[in-house]
Amino acid sequence: MTRLEGRGAALDVLTEERQAAVAAILRAPAGSPGTALQLAESQDPGEAELLLIRRADHPADPWSGHMALPGGRREPADENLLATAIRETREEVGIDLAAHGTLLARLPEIPAVARGRRAGMIVAPFVFALRSTPEITLSDEVAEALWTPLGPLARGERTSRYAYTHEGNVLQLPCLLVDERVVWGLTYLMLKQLFEVLHR
C-alpha cells in the first residue's frame, strides 16, 4: 500500500464510450491490530486482504456469475468516476468508502470485453484502504463477498489457466484461483495492474 500512495485520482478521460468504475478494497488481515494504513507503516505489515464479490446470476448481465470487484456503470448524477466507485460499492456491499476508506490510487482504465468483444465501455479501477471494516450487506446484484489475502495473488501463487470456449474454440486464459473460485477476464486484468504497481 505504501507503493500505491501518491498515485492520485487523475481527471476522467474524455471518451464517447460508456464509463464504469470499480473499487479494489484492501483491509488489514483479520485479527491484526490497527488499520490497513497503520500496518503499512509498521515493521511487520503482514498481508492485506482484498475484497472480491461474485456477481449474481442474471441472463441480461454479460458478466453474470463472475468474480469481480465492487462497482458498476457511471450514472448522470455521479460527479466523476471516483464518485461512481464509491456509490456502487455502497449500493452493492454496503461499505461507505467515503466514511471508512482512504483512496490510495487510480489505475489505468481498461476497455470492457464481454464474450470476446469490446463492450463499448471503459472501466476505471480505484484502490482503497479501509480505516475500519464495516459489516457487509449484499444487494440483489451480488451473490457473495469474501476477503482473501492479497499476497499470494500478487506473488503468483494462485495463478492458473481457465478454459474458455469462444465461437467453438477453447482458449486457455490466465486466471487466479481463490479457494474454488476463478478470477479471470476483466477483473484479472485489473488485479494484474495492481500487482505490477506493488512489484515496482
Side-chain angles (χ1 to χ4, degrees), residues 134-157:
E135 183 178 350
I136 291 177
T137 304
L138 302 184
S139 74
D140 293 340
E141 299 177 15
V142 180
E144 69 170 335
L146 65 133
W147 294 99
T148 187
L150 181 65
L153 301 178
R155 292 192 295 267
E157 296 170 12

Side-chain angles (χ1 to χ4, degrees), residues 109-129:
E109 293 84 4
I110 294 180
V113 175
R115 301 184 179 100
R117 293 181 172 82
R118 284 284 298 266
M121 181 170 62
I122 63 162
V123 183
F126 294 86
V127 185
F128 292 85

